[in-house]
Amino acid sequence: MHSKEHISHDEYQKTADWLMSQTKHRPQVAIICGSGLGMLADTLKCQDSFAYADIPGFPQSTVQGHAGQLVFGELKGKTCVCMQGRFHMYEGHSLCKEGVYAMVGGPNFETIAEARLLHRLGVDAVGMSTAPEVVVATHCGLRVFGLSLITNKVVKSYEDTESVNHEGVLEIGRLRSHTVQQLVTELIDRMEINNNDNINKSI
Ligand SMILES: O=P(O)(O)O[C@H]1O[C@H](CO)[C@@H](O)[C@H]1O
Ligand SMILES: Nc1nc2[nH]cnc2c(=O)[nH]1
């Protein structure tokens, strides 16, 4: 099992070859489901699911609420693969060294001082992921659409009685699951695979 060490191209290839030998699906769309959004995989038809633990050379999910499964299937006539669970720097995974991004490392939420600093820097939303994934995907030449569900208000005042916790984040994911499923379903329906001009026009 790989989680933190450098993974060679050959090792990636072995993992890909194994997966391709286990499913007939050949995905045109890949979706990374963060906390509370694993239910997006439920929208796929004709599913083939693989626990990360059973996939040779695949890292393991350690974040609570991440199922740790790769789910292949069809959505609106397009072949998709959903990652139910992703990987973070705070789990010990390294970051692609190229690119410019802004994120917090986690797993703790911002302190009030950090939240104020981020606000003053012009940050509108904070997360612990997404930026590294986009950096790597862009490095690989993939076109990326990032979608974040805003689950909570960042606490910026010592007088504020609200606080943020992971359970609350997951709960908002559950409450918004139908809307997010509809949004992504519509998005994929409108997506013109292999026609980048049309993607820009129709979304
Ligand atoms: O990256 P995802 O899984 O969306 O989860 C995010 O939400 C959690 C905070 O509740 C953190 O684990 C952060 O990384
Ligand atoms: N850093 C950070 N990540 C989150 N993920 C969900 N909510 C938050 C938040 O308030 N801060």
Side-chain angles (χ1 to χ4, degrees):
M1 177 200 83
H2 291 287
S3 59
K4 301 160 176 57
E5 65 270 37
H6 176 75
I7 303 172
S8 70
H9 181 271
D10 282 355
E11 289 170 305
Y12 276 121
Q13 193 62 56
K14 273 187 205 152
T15 302
D17 290 345
W18 184 87
L19 284 166
M20 293 302 94
S21 73
Q22 300 294 309
T23 177
K24 291 197 165 47
H25 291 301
R26 295 293 178 267
Q28 300 159 290
V29 179
I31 303 174
I32 301 173
C33 308
S35 287
L37 300 178
M39 60 2 179
L40 281 173
D42 299 342
T43 56
L44 303 186
K45 300 197 168 39
C46 309
Q47 291 188 7
D48 279 335
S49 297
F50 304 95
Y52 291 169
D54 296 335
I55 305 173
F58 214 77
Q60 305 304 306
S61 268
T62 65
V63 179
Q64 189 211 338
H66 284 201
Q69 289 195 124
L70 206 54
V71 183
F72 294 78
E74 305 285 336
L75 182 59
K76 290 286 179 181
K78 289 170 182 110
T79 308
C80 304
V81 60
C82 285
M83 285 181 71
Q84 286 184 315
R86 59 175 158 200
F87 310 109
H88 305 83
M89 285 175 69
Y90 63 68
E91 293 172 279
H93 297 284
S94 60
L95 188 64
C96 180
K97 303 261 183 313
E98 293 181 57
V100 179
Y101 66 95
M103 63 173 283
V104 298
N108 55 298
F109 293 98
E110 298 71 54
T111 62
I112 288 172
E114 288 166 338
R116 287 179 174 182
L117 175 66
L118 289 167
H119 187 64
R120 289 185 72 159
L121 288 172
V123 173
D124 295 305
V126 193
M128 304 177 197
S129 53
T130 309
E133 295 146 357
V134 172
V135 169
V136 174
T138 305
H139 179 74
C140 296
L142 300 176
R143 301 186 75 226
V144 183
F145 177 78
L147 171 68
S148 292
L149 177 66
I150 304 298
T151 53
N152 58 279
K153 199 166 150 270
V154 172
V155 180
K156 294 204 303 292
S157 161
Y158 290 100
E159 280 76 52
D160 213 323
T161 49
E162 292 173 44
S163 66
V164 190
N165 60 69
H166 191 53
E167 228 357 274
V169 170
L170 295 178
E171 178 59 20
I172 298 298
R174 283 190 284 272
L175 287 173
R176 294 282 176 265
S177 59
H178 185 59
T179 307
V180 179
Q181 283 175 336
Q182 279 183 318
L183 178 64
V184 174
T185 300
E186 186 65 28
L187 199 71
I188 290 178
D189 192 27
R190 291 192 193 192
M191 202 183 270
E192 296 280 342
I193 306 279
N194 297 329
N195 188 338
N196 294 344
D197 284 348
N198 282 351
I199 290 178
N200 290 332
K201 280 178 203 150
S202 58
I203 291 177

